Amino acid sequence: MQTQNYIGGRWCDAQAGGRLAVLNPADDSRIAEVPDSTAADARAAVDAAQAALPFWRATPAKQRATLLKRWNDLILEHQDTLGALISLEQGKPLAEGRAEVAYAASYVEWFAEEATRANGEVIPAPVASRRMLALREPVGVVAAITPWNFPAAMIARKIAPALAAGCTVVAKPAEDTPLTALALVALAEQAGLPPGTLNIVSASREHTPAVVEAWLDDARVRKISFTGSTAVGKHLARASAATLKKLSLELGGNAPFIVFDDADLDAAVEGLMVSKFRNGGQTCVCPNRVYVHSTVHDRFVEKLATRVGALKLGPASDGGSQIGPMINARAIEKIERHVNDAVAHGAKVVVGGRRVRNAVAAGPNYYAPTVLCDATPAMALSCEETFGPVVPIFRFDDEAEVLALANDTPFGLAAYFYTQHMARAWRLADALECGIVGVNEGALAAEAAPFSGVKESGYGREGSTHGLDDYMHTKYVCQGGLS
Ligand code: SIN
């Protein structure tokens, strides 16, 4: 377990000496302390990244790829310990912690391979005396700011393409889950990443604005890649305008999940269980609104309730638990507020609907997996992301009506639907206003797929062949006088 910042190839404390306690959400006990960094640490990290940039961008792509592959191998060698660390500081069940490590490594491996394929173009010139080329080059120093819900995967998905492209990185993991990110950086150091190419500072909720402002104000930082709330994403877009940084923003969602009357109901229940209850519902692509056709509504709810009622709630330390604690008190309070508001507006609790505290779920952060019926657009949970294990079910009667409801949100990250009707599947896939669509499928994430939203869910693509572009510029070179 690493508990210091890593700047310019050295592990160090925050310059002002501040420390930040990392808590286990299972019982709020203290796991470790990490640096509570300030603007001075953030600037030192940029100094190191800027100093390393000329060397790293000139390093042949094949060598960058070799280092990334070594990092990938080390991550996978440490899958059990890293998985346990994720579960310890984030709360997700052990099997999910291990799975997240493989998911994180898949981005490192993917971008190691993409590094060697960052081809440019030779453009047919309009006159014989010229050669025209489009060259791809790294944007420069990248700031990666990552969330707590996937402490390994989100940082890997940003750092790996940045390093593959020849950028150097300054990173700040979420205040709730810095330990996984620090451990990943320790493995990158072991893999032989040169000093200064990857730098990381941790900071408390109180000091995070100063760290981020230091990066926003610094013209040497050419790109910010952020995953988190839409409100913070909008602030980053406004504040980075002064130095016109490139941005990748993966922001909030409000995913619809639609079950048509011709759907395979068992498959739809399965897809919903997978997509909704992954990480206890703390995933930005989780279905937030479930629309079920009136004619299959009661059967679907009955099947779903049976599955949800059987989910095992408990700490990650209990190997059998399927739903862990929520990340912190603020998360629990939001879930409780949404459920209470829904009930006050006429929703019926089919399963769950309450906090749990007992001998197994012994801390204050557990919420029972919940199914609510008779949800309506008047409820807060229909327009805000709940980020917890709550399934609100809305009835609908026709396709045009449900499509309008699904799109009636400023967000546009993911959407899901279940139908056996081929023409409808393509109509919906085209008409849904979002960046990611699941057709008869609940598990969508993959390193080879472009992940991102539209509307107020952000812009920029992570993963896939497009993921490298976000860390590169295209430079036009025209050589004349050749005839
Ligand atoms: C997220 O919740 O931000 C990412 C989820 C994923 O990669 O599937």
Side-chain angles (χ1 to χ4, degrees):
M1 197 189 284
Q2 270 298 345
T3 56
Q4 287 183 299
N5 289 338
Y6 186 69
I7 298 178
R10 278 189 334 105
W11 293 96
C12 51
D13 291 322
Q15 291 182 27
R19 302 292 286 169
L20 156 70
V22 184
L23 305 182
N24 178 351
D27 55 10
D28 280 350
S29 60
R30 181 178 288 234
I31 306 168
E33 284 188 357
V34 295
D36 187 5
S37 309
T38 61
D41 306 296
R43 278 192 293 271
V46 179
D47 292 345
Q50 181 68 21
L53 186 61
F55 168 77
W56 186 244
R57 59 178 287 161
T59 300
K62 194 169 168 65
Q63 278 177 35
R64 294 200 297 265
T66 302
L67 289 172
L68 285 171
K69 282 185 192 151
R70 221 178 274 153
W71 189 26
N72 165 65
D73 293 347
L74 284 168
I75 294 172
L76 290 176
E77 267 171 43
H78 291 80
Q79 183 170 9
D80 288 344
T81 39
L82 280 172
L85 186 57
I86 292 173
S87 295
L88 186 67
E89 66 172 345
Q90 197 275 333
K92 67 183 61 175
L94 280 178
E96 287 195 39
R98 278 189 97 250
E100 186 184 336
V101 177
Y103 182 42
S106 73
Y107 285 102
V108 179
E109 184 185 41
W110 173 268
F111 284 110
E113 290 164 352
E114 285 301 296
T116 58
R117 295 178 200 129
N119 303 333
E121 294 164 33
V122 179
I123 302 161
V127 289
S129 60
R130 291 187 194 158
R131 285 286 180 279
M132 293 166 48
L133 300 115
L135 306 182
R136 293 172 78 200
E137 49 179 42
V139 294
V141 175
V142 170
I145 305 169
T146 56
W148 50 263
N149 60 344
F150 289 87
M154 296 302 100
I155 202 148
R157 177 149 106 183
K158 296 181 191 311
I159 291 176
L163 294 175
C167 300
T168 54
V169 177
V170 294
K172 193 205 77 65
E175 43 285 352
D176 292 301
T177 56
L179 297 170
T180 305
L182 294 172
L184 285 176
V185 172
L187 293 177
E189 181 188 34
Q190 254 185 58
L193 217 62
T197 46
L198 174 56
N199 308 276
I200 187 163
V201 299
S202 53
S204 63
R205 210 162 255 116
E206 190 193 346
H207 285 152
T208 287
V211 167
V212 173
E213 295 310 318
W215 290 344
L216 283 166
D217 291 346
D218 196 322
R220 296 172 299 171
V221 175
R222 294 314 312 147
K223 176 182 169 95
I224 296 194
S225 180
F226 169 72
T227 297
S229 74
T230 294
V232 172
K234 286 181 179 176
H235 169 72
L236 296 176
R238 275 190 296 268
S240 62
T243 51
L244 278 185
K245 298 185 201 308
K246 197 168 164 129
L247 288 171
S248 292
L249 301 174
E250 203 253 273
L251 309 177
N254 184 4
F257 186 106
I258 307 169
V259 182
F260 284 98
D261 47 353
D262 61 356
D264 173 337
L265 288 193
D266 291 322
V269 168
E270 193 53 42
L272 183 56
M273 294 300 293
V274 167
S275 54
K276 177 73 228 187
F277 292 102
R278 174 173 171 233
N279 198 16
Q282 303 172 108
T283 303
C284 58
V285 287
C286 273
N288 203 51
R289 300 167 288 154
V290 178
Y291 297 100
V292 183
H293 194 276
S294 292
T295 57
V296 294
H297 177 275
D298 294 355
R299 272 194 297 142
F300 180 84
V301 172
E302 196 186 322
K303 284 172 186 280
L304 181 69
T306 307
R307 290 292 303 278
V308 174
L311 285 171
K312 189 161 180 260
L313 189 71
S317 56
D318 172 350
S321 81
Q322 294 165 296
I323 304 284
M326 299 294 103
I327 188 71
N328 55 32
R330 291 191 313 162
I332 282 278
E333 280 154 20
K334 183 175 190 193
I335 295 165
E336 200 160 49
R337 174 169 67 74
H338 277 191
V339 172
N340 292 345
D341 169 80
V343 169
H345 282 86
K348 289 193 192 58
V349 176
V350 183
V351 183
R354 64 197 160 80
R355 284 183 192 230
V356 178
R357 192 161 191 165
N358 57 33
V360 181
N365 298 328
Y366 293 89
Y367 201 90
T370 296
V371 178
L372 300 174
C373 269
D374 299 337
T376 70
M379 299 169 184
L381 49 62
S382 81
C383 42
E384 291 173 31
E385 209 174 8
T386 304
F387 235 60
V390 178
V391 182
I393 299 190
F394 304 69
R395 281 175 194 265
F396 75 93
D397 289 304
D398 78 56
E399 185 183 313
E401 171 204 4
V402 78
L403 179 62
L405 288 166
N407 284 339
D408 186 18
T409 166
F411 301 103
L413 190 53
Y416 307 78
F417 61 87
Y418 276 71
T419 181
Q420 302 290 342
H421 191 304
M422 177 100 77
R424 170 185 282 152
W426 285 108
R427 265 197 314 273
L428 265 277
D430 286 345
L432 283 163
E433 296 168 358
C434 59
I436 305 169
V437 183
V439 185
N440 297 329
E441 180 57 67
L444 309 181
E447 75 283 4
F451 190 106
S452 185
V454 298
K455 295 163 62 177
E456 295 189 19
S457 290
Y459 43 71
R461 293 289 172 273
E462 296 200 312
S464 80
T465 51
H466 304 284
L468 196 67
D469 287 341
D470 271 29
Y471 295 86
M472 302 193 95
H473 286 312
T474 301
K475 180 185 273 178
Y476 165 45
V477 177
C478 177
Q479 185 179 5
L482 293 177
S483 56

PDB file of all heavy atoms in Angstrom, residues 103 107 147 149-150 153-154 157 227-228 250-251 278-279 282-286 385 387 413 416 436 444-446 451 462, ligand 1:
ATOM      1  N   TYR A 103     -10.646  -5.297 -15.712  1.00  0.00           N
ATOM      2  CA  TYR A 103     -11.226  -4.261 -16.585  1.00  0.00           C
ATOM      3  C   TYR A 103     -10.219  -3.107 -16.759  1.00  0.00           C
ATOM      4  O   TYR A 103      -9.973  -2.647 -17.878  1.00  0.00           O
ATOM      5  CB  TYR A 103     -12.522  -3.783 -15.925  1.00  0.00           C
ATOM      6  CG  TYR A 103     -13.335  -2.750 -16.660  1.00  0.00           C
ATOM      7  CD1 TYR A 103     -13.535  -2.816 -18.034  1.00  0.00           C
ATOM      8  CD2 TYR A 103     -13.943  -1.705 -15.959  1.00  0.00           C
ATOM      9  CE1 TYR A 103     -14.310  -1.864 -18.687  1.00  0.00           C
ATOM     10  CE2 TYR A 103     -14.725  -0.755 -16.592  1.00  0.00           C
ATOM     11  CZ  TYR A 103     -14.897  -0.838 -17.968  1.00  0.00           C
ATOM     12  OH  TYR A 103     -15.662   0.104 -18.606  1.00  0.00           O
ATOM     13  N   TYR A 107      -7.719  -1.795 -20.445  1.00  0.00           N
ATOM     14  CA  TYR A 107      -7.456  -0.492 -21.088  1.00  0.00           C
ATOM     15  C   TYR A 107      -5.959  -0.286 -21.287  1.00  0.00           C
ATOM     16  O   TYR A 107      -5.527   0.281 -22.298  1.00  0.00           O
ATOM     17  CB  TYR A 107      -8.032   0.660 -20.250  1.00  0.00           C
ATOM     18  CG  TYR A 107      -9.536   0.756 -20.375  1.00  0.00           C
ATOM     19  CD1 TYR A 107     -10.370   0.284 -19.372  1.00  0.00           C
ATOM     20  CD2 TYR A 107     -10.122   1.284 -21.523  1.00  0.00           C
ATOM     21  CE1 TYR A 107     -11.753   0.351 -19.508  1.00  0.00           C
ATOM     22  CE2 TYR A 107     -11.500   1.357 -21.664  1.00  0.00           C
ATOM     23  CZ  TYR A 107     -12.310   0.888 -20.656  1.00  0.00           C
ATOM     24  OH  TYR A 107     -13.664   0.943 -20.800  1.00  0.00           O
ATOM     25  N   PRO A 147     -13.015   9.560 -10.479  1.00  0.00           N
ATOM     26  CA  PRO A 147     -14.039   9.371  -9.446  1.00  0.00           C
ATOM     27  C   PRO A 147     -13.749   8.179  -8.541  1.00  0.00           C
ATOM     28  O   PRO A 147     -12.828   7.399  -8.805  1.00  0.00           O
ATOM     29  CB  PRO A 147     -15.290   9.123 -10.279  1.00  0.00           C
ATOM     30  CG  PRO A 147     -14.767   8.348 -11.463  1.00  0.00           C
ATOM     31  CD  PRO A 147     -13.379   8.862 -11.734  1.00  0.00           C
ATOM     32  N   ASN A 149     -15.981   5.643  -7.876  1.00  0.00           N
ATOM     33  CA  ASN A 149     -16.787   4.424  -8.063  1.00  0.00           C
ATOM     34  C   ASN A 149     -16.026   3.286  -8.743  1.00  0.00           C
ATOM     35  O   ASN A 149     -16.312   2.120  -8.506  1.00  0.00           O
ATOM     36  CB  ASN A 149     -18.114   4.737  -8.770  1.00  0.00           C
ATOM     37  CG  ASN A 149     -17.929   5.340 -10.141  1.00  0.00           C
ATOM     38  OD1 ASN A 149     -16.847   5.810 -10.486  1.00  0.00           O
ATOM     39  ND2 ASN A 149     -18.986   5.339 -10.935  1.00  0.00           N
ATOM     40  N   PHE A 150     -15.038   3.639  -9.603  1.00  0.00           N
ATOM     41  CA  PHE A 150     -14.165   2.622 -10.200  1.00  0.00           C
ATOM     42  C   PHE A 150     -12.735   3.111 -10.010  1.00  0.00           C
ATOM     43  O   PHE A 150     -12.123   3.676 -10.932  1.00  0.00           O
ATOM     44  CB  PHE A 150     -14.518   2.416 -11.680  1.00  0.00           C
ATOM     45  CG  PHE A 150     -15.830   1.712 -11.871  1.00  0.00           C
ATOM     46  CD1 PHE A 150     -17.015   2.430 -11.918  1.00  0.00           C
ATOM     47  CD2 PHE A 150     -15.882   0.332 -11.941  1.00  0.00           C
ATOM     48  CE1 PHE A 150     -18.231   1.779 -12.054  1.00  0.00           C
ATOM     49  CE2 PHE A 150     -17.094  -0.334 -12.074  1.00  0.00           C
ATOM     50  CZ  PHE A 150     -18.272   0.405 -12.135  1.00  0.00           C
ATOM     51  N   ALA A 153     -10.299   1.367 -12.725  1.00  0.00           N
ATOM     52  CA  ALA A 153     -10.627   1.401 -14.157  1.00  0.00           C
ATOM     53  C   ALA A 153     -10.634   2.817 -14.717  1.00  0.00           C
ATOM     54  O   ALA A 153     -10.186   3.049 -15.845  1.00  0.00           O
ATOM     55  CB  ALA A 153     -11.976   0.731 -14.399  1.00  0.00           C
ATOM     56  N   MET A 154     -11.150   3.777 -13.932  1.00  0.00           N
ATOM     57  CA  MET A 154     -11.269   5.124 -14.490  1.00  0.00           C
ATOM     58  C   MET A 154      -9.902   5.776 -14.676  1.00  0.00           C
ATOM     59  O   MET A 154      -9.682   6.501 -15.644  1.00  0.00           O
ATOM     60  CB  MET A 154     -12.166   5.999 -13.613  1.00  0.00           C
ATOM     61  CG  MET A 154     -13.607   5.524 -13.524  1.00  0.00           C
ATOM     62  SD  MET A 154     -14.430   5.398 -15.139  1.00  0.00           S
ATOM     63  CE  MET A 154     -14.341   3.654 -15.474  1.00  0.00           C
ATOM     64  N   ARG A 157      -8.155   4.099 -17.651  1.00  0.00           N
ATOM     65  CA  ARG A 157      -8.773   4.481 -18.926  1.00  0.00           C
ATOM     66  C   ARG A 157      -8.323   5.867 -19.388  1.00  0.00           C
ATOM     67  O   ARG A 157      -8.463   6.214 -20.549  1.00  0.00           O
ATOM     68  CB  ARG A 157     -10.276   4.413 -18.680  1.00  0.00           C
ATOM     69  CG  ARG A 157     -11.163   4.794 -19.747  1.00  0.00           C
ATOM     70  CD  ARG A 157     -12.447   4.007 -19.642  1.00  0.00           C
ATOM     71  NE  ARG A 157     -13.550   4.802 -19.159  1.00  0.00           N
ATOM     72  CZ  ARG A 157     -14.766   4.316 -18.925  1.00  0.00           C
ATOM     73  NH1 ARG A 157     -15.000   3.020 -19.036  1.00  0.00           N
ATOM     74  NH2 ARG A 157     -15.723   5.082 -18.531  1.00  0.00           N
ATOM     75  N   THR A 227     -13.878  12.495 -15.017  1.00  0.00           N
ATOM     76  CA  THR A 227     -15.109  11.723 -14.865  1.00  0.00           C
ATOM     77  C   THR A 227     -15.727  12.127 -13.544  1.00  0.00           C
ATOM     78  O   THR A 227     -15.065  12.085 -12.500  1.00  0.00           O
ATOM     79  CB  THR A 227     -14.822  10.203 -14.863  1.00  0.00           C
ATOM     80  OG1 THR A 227     -14.261   9.848 -16.131  1.00  0.00           O
ATOM     81  CG2 THR A 227     -16.100   9.411 -14.653  1.00  0.00           C
ATOM     82  N   GLY A 228     -16.985  12.547 -13.580  1.00  0.00           N
ATOM     83  CA  GLY A 228     -17.659  12.984 -12.358  1.00  0.00           C
ATOM     84  C   GLY A 228     -18.952  13.694 -12.700  1.00  0.00           C
ATOM     85  O   GLY A 228     -19.565  13.435 -13.736  1.00  0.00           O
ATOM     86  N   GLU A 250     -16.605  12.972 -18.886  1.00  0.00           N
ATOM     87  CA  GLU A 250     -17.539  11.851 -18.772  1.00  0.00           C
ATOM     88  C   GLU A 250     -18.370  12.149 -17.538  1.00  0.00           C
ATOM     89  O   GLU A 250     -17.895  12.005 -16.405  1.00  0.00           O
ATOM     90  CB  GLU A 250     -16.731  10.547 -18.654  1.00  0.00           C
ATOM     91  CG  GLU A 250     -17.512   9.336 -19.087  1.00  0.00           C
ATOM     92  CD  GLU A 250     -17.907   8.490 -17.908  1.00  0.00           C
ATOM     93  OE1 GLU A 250     -17.112   7.639 -17.509  1.00  0.00           O
ATOM     94  OE2 GLU A 250     -19.028   8.718 -17.385  1.00  0.00           O
ATOM     95  N   LEU A 251     -19.617  12.602 -17.760  1.00  0.00           N
ATOM     96  CA  LEU A 251     -20.381  13.226 -16.665  1.00  0.00           C
ATOM     97  C   LEU A 251     -21.604  12.389 -16.282  1.00  0.00           C
ATOM     98  O   LEU A 251     -21.676  11.219 -16.594  1.00  0.00           O
ATOM     99  CB  LEU A 251     -20.757  14.648 -17.097  1.00  0.00           C
ATOM    100  CG  LEU A 251     -19.566  15.490 -17.607  1.00  0.00           C
ATOM    101  CD1 LEU A 251     -20.029  16.852 -18.086  1.00  0.00           C
ATOM    102  CD2 LEU A 251     -18.496  15.638 -16.525  1.00  0.00           C
ATOM    103  N   ARG A 278     -24.627  -3.546 -10.490  1.00  0.00           N
ATOM    104  CA  ARG A 278     -23.152  -3.520 -10.531  1.00  0.00           C
ATOM    105  C   ARG A 278     -22.703  -2.383  -9.617  1.00  0.00           C
ATOM    106  O   ARG A 278     -23.236  -1.274  -9.689  1.00  0.00           O
ATOM    107  CB  ARG A 278     -22.742  -3.279 -11.981  1.00  0.00           C
ATOM    108  CG  ARG A 278     -21.281  -3.081 -12.231  1.00  0.00           C
ATOM    109  CD  ARG A 278     -21.046  -3.043 -13.731  1.00  0.00           C
ATOM    110  NE  ARG A 278     -19.704  -2.654 -14.066  1.00  0.00           N
ATOM    111  CZ  ARG A 278     -19.410  -1.650 -14.912  1.00  0.00           C
ATOM    112  NH1 ARG A 278     -20.373  -0.943 -15.474  1.00  0.00           N
ATOM    113  NH2 ARG A 278     -18.163  -1.365 -15.171  1.00  0.00           N
ATOM    114  N   ASN A 279     -21.764  -2.668  -8.746  1.00  0.00           N
ATOM    115  CA  ASN A 279     -21.240  -1.650  -7.826  1.00  0.00           C
ATOM    116  C   ASN A 279     -22.369  -1.018  -6.992  1.00  0.00           C
ATOM    117  O   ASN A 279     -22.349   0.181  -6.707  1.00  0.00           O
ATOM    118  CB  ASN A 279     -20.489  -0.572  -8.613  1.00  0.00           C
ATOM    119  CG  ASN A 279     -19.567   0.243  -7.743  1.00  0.00           C
ATOM    120  OD1 ASN A 279     -19.239  -0.149  -6.615  1.00  0.00           O
ATOM    121  ND2 ASN A 279     -19.142   1.382  -8.226  1.00  0.00           N
ATOM    122  N   GLN A 282     -23.896   2.241  -8.093  1.00  0.00           N
ATOM    123  CA  GLN A 282     -23.056   3.459  -8.110  1.00  0.00           C
ATOM    124  C   GLN A 282     -22.220   3.492  -9.395  1.00  0.00           C
ATOM    125  O   GLN A 282     -20.994   3.499  -9.352  1.00  0.00           O
ATOM    126  CB  GLN A 282     -22.162   3.482  -6.880  1.00  0.00           C
ATOM    127  CG  GLN A 282     -22.934   3.418  -5.563  1.00  0.00           C
ATOM    128  CD  GLN A 282     -22.032   3.247  -4.364  1.00  0.00           C
ATOM    129  OE1 GLN A 282     -21.849   4.157  -3.583  1.00  0.00           O
ATOM    130  NE2 GLN A 282     -21.450   2.089  -4.216  1.00  0.00           N
ATOM    131  N   THR A 283     -22.891   3.508 -10.507  1.00  0.00           N
ATOM    132  CA  THR A 283     -22.237   3.486 -11.814  1.00  0.00           C
ATOM    133  C   THR A 283     -22.968   4.481 -12.705  1.00  0.00           C
ATOM    134  O   THR A 283     -24.199   4.514 -12.699  1.00  0.00           O
ATOM    135  CB  THR A 283     -22.333   2.060 -12.418  1.00  0.00           C
ATOM    136  OG1 THR A 283     -21.746   1.160 -11.501  1.00  0.00           O
ATOM    137  CG2 THR A 283     -21.631   1.971 -13.734  1.00  0.00           C
ATOM    138  N   CYS A 284     -22.222   5.280 -13.445  1.00  0.00           N
ATOM    139  CA  CYS A 284     -22.898   6.352 -14.191  1.00  0.00           C
ATOM    140  C   CYS A 284     -23.743   5.840 -15.334  1.00  0.00           C
ATOM    141  O   CYS A 284     -24.619   6.550 -15.809  1.00  0.00           O
ATOM    142  CB  CYS A 284     -21.895   7.395 -14.654  1.00  0.00           C
ATOM    143  SG  CYS A 284     -20.635   6.686 -15.678  1.00  0.00           S
ATOM    144  N   VAL A 285     -23.505   4.577 -15.769  1.00  0.00           N
ATOM    145  CA  VAL A 285     -24.356   4.024 -16.826  1.00  0.00           C
ATOM    146  C   VAL A 285     -25.485   3.144 -16.266  1.00  0.00           C
ATOM    147  O   VAL A 285     -26.201   2.494 -17.008  1.00  0.00           O
ATOM    148  CB  VAL A 285     -23.528   3.220 -17.865  1.00  0.00           C
ATOM    149  CG1 VAL A 285     -22.713   4.150 -18.739  1.00  0.00           C
ATOM    150  CG2 VAL A 285     -22.618   2.208 -17.188  1.00  0.00           C
ATOM    151  N   CYS A 286     -25.658   3.107 -14.947  1.00  0.00           N
ATOM    152  CA  CYS A 286     -26.748   2.326 -14.339  1.00  0.00           C
ATOM    153  C   CYS A 286     -28.099   2.820 -14.824  1.00  0.00           C
ATOM    154  O   CYS A 286     -28.334   4.027 -14.872  1.00  0.00           O
ATOM    155  CB  CYS A 286     -26.785   2.550 -12.835  1.00  0.00           C
ATOM    156  SG  CYS A 286     -25.745   1.485 -11.916  1.00  0.00           S
ATOM    157  N   GLU A 385     -29.813  11.616 -10.839  1.00  0.00           N
ATOM    158  CA  GLU A 385     -29.169  10.303 -10.748  1.00  0.00           C
ATOM    159  C   GLU A 385     -29.189   9.851  -9.285  1.00  0.00           C
ATOM    160  O   GLU A 385     -28.655  10.542  -8.416  1.00  0.00           O
ATOM    161  CB  GLU A 385     -27.722  10.502 -11.213  1.00  0.00           C
ATOM    162  CG  GLU A 385     -27.073   9.333 -11.825  1.00  0.00           C
ATOM    163  CD  GLU A 385     -25.688   9.697 -12.379  1.00  0.00           C
ATOM    164  OE1 GLU A 385     -25.187  10.823 -12.142  1.00  0.00           O
ATOM    165  OE2 GLU A 385     -25.095   8.835 -13.027  1.00  0.00           O
ATOM    166  N   PHE A 387     -27.793   6.980  -7.985  1.00  0.00           N
ATOM    167  CA  PHE A 387     -26.485   6.389  -7.655  1.00  0.00           C
ATOM    168  C   PHE A 387     -26.584   5.467  -6.444  1.00  0.00           C
ATOM    169  O   PHE A 387     -25.818   5.571  -5.475  1.00  0.00           O
ATOM    170  CB  PHE A 387     -25.452   7.502  -7.404  1.00  0.00           C
ATOM    171  CG  PHE A 387     -24.235   7.357  -8.284  1.00  0.00           C
ATOM    172  CD1 PHE A 387     -24.348   7.382  -9.659  1.00  0.00           C
ATOM    173  CD2 PHE A 387     -22.963   7.179  -7.748  1.00  0.00           C
ATOM    174  CE1 PHE A 387     -23.233   7.228 -10.496  1.00  0.00           C
ATOM    175  CE2 PHE A 387     -21.840   7.026  -8.563  1.00  0.00           C
ATOM    176  CZ  PHE A 387     -21.984   7.056  -9.943  1.00  0.00           C
ATOM    177  N   LEU A 413     -26.145   9.700 -21.465  1.00  0.00           N
ATOM    178  CA  LEU A 413     -25.004   8.782 -21.394  1.00  0.00           C
ATOM    179  C   LEU A 413     -25.392   7.422 -21.977  1.00  0.00           C
ATOM    180  O   LEU A 413     -25.052   7.109 -23.092  1.00  0.00           O
ATOM    181  CB  LEU A 413     -24.502   8.688 -19.958  1.00  0.00           C
ATOM    182  CG  LEU A 413     -23.178   7.959 -19.752  1.00  0.00           C
ATOM    183  CD1 LEU A 413     -22.086   8.516 -20.635  1.00  0.00           C
ATOM    184  CD2 LEU A 413     -22.749   8.021 -18.296  1.00  0.00           C
ATOM    185  N   TYR A 416     -30.946   1.590 -22.446  1.00  0.00           N
ATOM    186  CA  TYR A 416     -31.087   0.148 -22.671  1.00  0.00           C
ATOM    187  C   TYR A 416     -32.524  -0.129 -23.101  1.00  0.00           C
ATOM    188  O   TYR A 416     -33.448   0.535 -22.623  1.00  0.00           O
ATOM    189  CB  TYR A 416     -30.866  -0.632 -21.362  1.00  0.00           C
ATOM    190  CG  TYR A 416     -29.584  -0.336 -20.632  1.00  0.00           C
ATOM    191  CD1 TYR A 416     -29.445   0.830 -19.861  1.00  0.00           C
ATOM    192  CD2 TYR A 416     -28.514  -1.233 -20.672  1.00  0.00           C
ATOM    193  CE1 TYR A 416     -28.270   1.097 -19.177  1.00  0.00           C
ATOM    194  CE2 TYR A 416     -27.338  -0.975 -19.974  1.00  0.00           C
ATOM    195  CZ  TYR A 416     -27.215   0.195 -19.229  1.00  0.00           C
ATOM    196  OH  TYR A 416     -26.059   0.456 -18.542  1.00  0.00           O
ATOM    197  N   ILE A 436     -24.383   5.690 -25.606  1.00  0.00           N
ATOM    198  CA  ILE A 436     -24.196   4.242 -25.466  1.00  0.00           C
ATOM    199  C   ILE A 436     -25.579   3.591 -25.416  1.00  0.00           C
ATOM    200  O   ILE A 436     -26.425   4.005 -24.614  1.00  0.00           O
ATOM    201  CB  ILE A 436     -23.450   3.923 -24.137  1.00  0.00           C
ATOM    202  CG1 ILE A 436     -22.123   4.690 -24.051  1.00  0.00           C
ATOM    203  CG2 ILE A 436     -23.237   2.445 -23.967  1.00  0.00           C
ATOM    204  CD1 ILE A 436     -21.456   4.637 -22.681  1.00  0.00           C
ATOM    205  N   LEU A 444     -22.355  -3.396 -20.906  1.00  0.00           N
ATOM    206  CA  LEU A 444     -21.929  -2.729 -22.136  1.00  0.00           C
ATOM    207  C   LEU A 444     -20.432  -2.389 -22.179  1.00  0.00           C
ATOM    208  O   LEU A 444     -19.855  -2.249 -23.253  1.00  0.00           O
ATOM    209  CB  LEU A 444     -22.718  -1.423 -22.316  1.00  0.00           C
ATOM    210  CG  LEU A 444     -24.241  -1.537 -22.212  1.00  0.00           C
ATOM    211  CD1 LEU A 444     -24.888  -0.187 -22.441  1.00  0.00           C
ATOM    212  CD2 LEU A 444     -24.764  -2.542 -23.211  1.00  0.00           C
ATOM    213  N   ALA A 445     -19.821  -2.209 -21.015  1.00  0.00           N
ATOM    214  CA  ALA A 445     -18.470  -1.649 -20.998  1.00  0.00           C
ATOM    215  C   ALA A 445     -17.449  -2.630 -21.570  1.00  0.00           C
ATOM    216  O   ALA A 445     -17.487  -3.826 -21.289  1.00  0.00           O
ATOM    217  CB  ALA A 445     -18.087  -1.286 -19.581  1.00  0.00           C
ATOM    218  N   ALA A 446     -16.541  -2.119 -22.375  1.00  0.00           N
ATOM    219  CA  ALA A 446     -15.442  -2.927 -22.929  1.00  0.00           C
ATOM    220  C   ALA A 446     -14.376  -1.968 -23.434  1.00  0.00           C
ATOM    221  O   ALA A 446     -14.704  -0.888 -23.946  1.00  0.00           O
ATOM    222  CB  ALA A 446     -15.934  -3.797 -24.079  1.00  0.00           C
ATOM    223  N   PHE A 451     -16.668   4.874 -25.113  1.00  0.00           N
ATOM    224  CA  PHE A 451     -17.503   5.147 -23.938  1.00  0.00           C
ATOM    225  C   PHE A 451     -17.612   6.650 -23.765  1.00  0.00           C
ATOM    226  O   PHE A 451     -16.616   7.324 -23.555  1.00  0.00           O
ATOM    227  CB  PHE A 451     -16.833   4.526 -22.707  1.00  0.00           C
ATOM    228  CG  PHE A 451     -17.686   4.510 -21.472  1.00  0.00           C
ATOM    229  CD1 PHE A 451     -18.255   3.327 -21.019  1.00  0.00           C
ATOM    230  CD2 PHE A 451     -17.940   5.675 -20.762  1.00  0.00           C
ATOM    231  CE1 PHE A 451     -19.058   3.308 -19.888  1.00  0.00           C
ATOM    232  CE2 PHE A 451     -18.735   5.659 -19.637  1.00  0.00           C
ATOM    233  CZ  PHE A 451     -19.289   4.475 -19.195  1.00  0.00           C
ATOM    234  N   GLU A 462     -13.748   7.594 -24.496  1.00  0.00           N
ATOM    235  CA  GLU A 462     -12.749   6.806 -23.761  1.00  0.00           C
ATOM    236  C   GLU A 462     -12.817   5.368 -24.254  1.00  0.00           C
ATOM    237  O   GLU A 462     -13.901   4.848 -24.516  1.00  0.00           O
ATOM    238  CB  GLU A 462     -13.033   6.868 -22.259  1.00  0.00           C
ATOM    239  CG  GLU A 462     -12.892   8.277 -21.718  1.00  0.00           C
ATOM    240  CD  GLU A 462     -12.696   8.329 -20.215  1.00  0.00           C
ATOM    241  OE1 GLU A 462     -13.445   7.667 -19.502  1.00  0.00           O
ATOM    242  OE2 GLU A 462     -11.763   9.032 -19.778  1.00  0.00           O
TER     243      GLU A 462
HETATM  244  C1  SIN B   1     -18.585   5.014 -14.659  1.00  0.00           C
HETATM  245  O1  SIN B   1     -19.464   4.729 -13.884  1.00  0.00           O
HETATM  246  O2  SIN B   1     -18.130   6.173 -14.704  1.00  0.00           O
HETATM  247  C2  SIN B   1     -17.963   4.021 -15.623  1.00  0.00           C
HETATM  248  C3  SIN B   1     -18.650   2.756 -15.702  1.00  0.00           C
HETATM  249  C4  SIN B   1     -18.071   1.796 -16.709  1.00  0.00           C
HETATM  250  O3  SIN B   1     -16.931   1.923 -17.162  1.00  0.00           O
HETATM  251  O4  SIN B   1     -18.809   0.888 -17.061  1.00  0.00           O
END
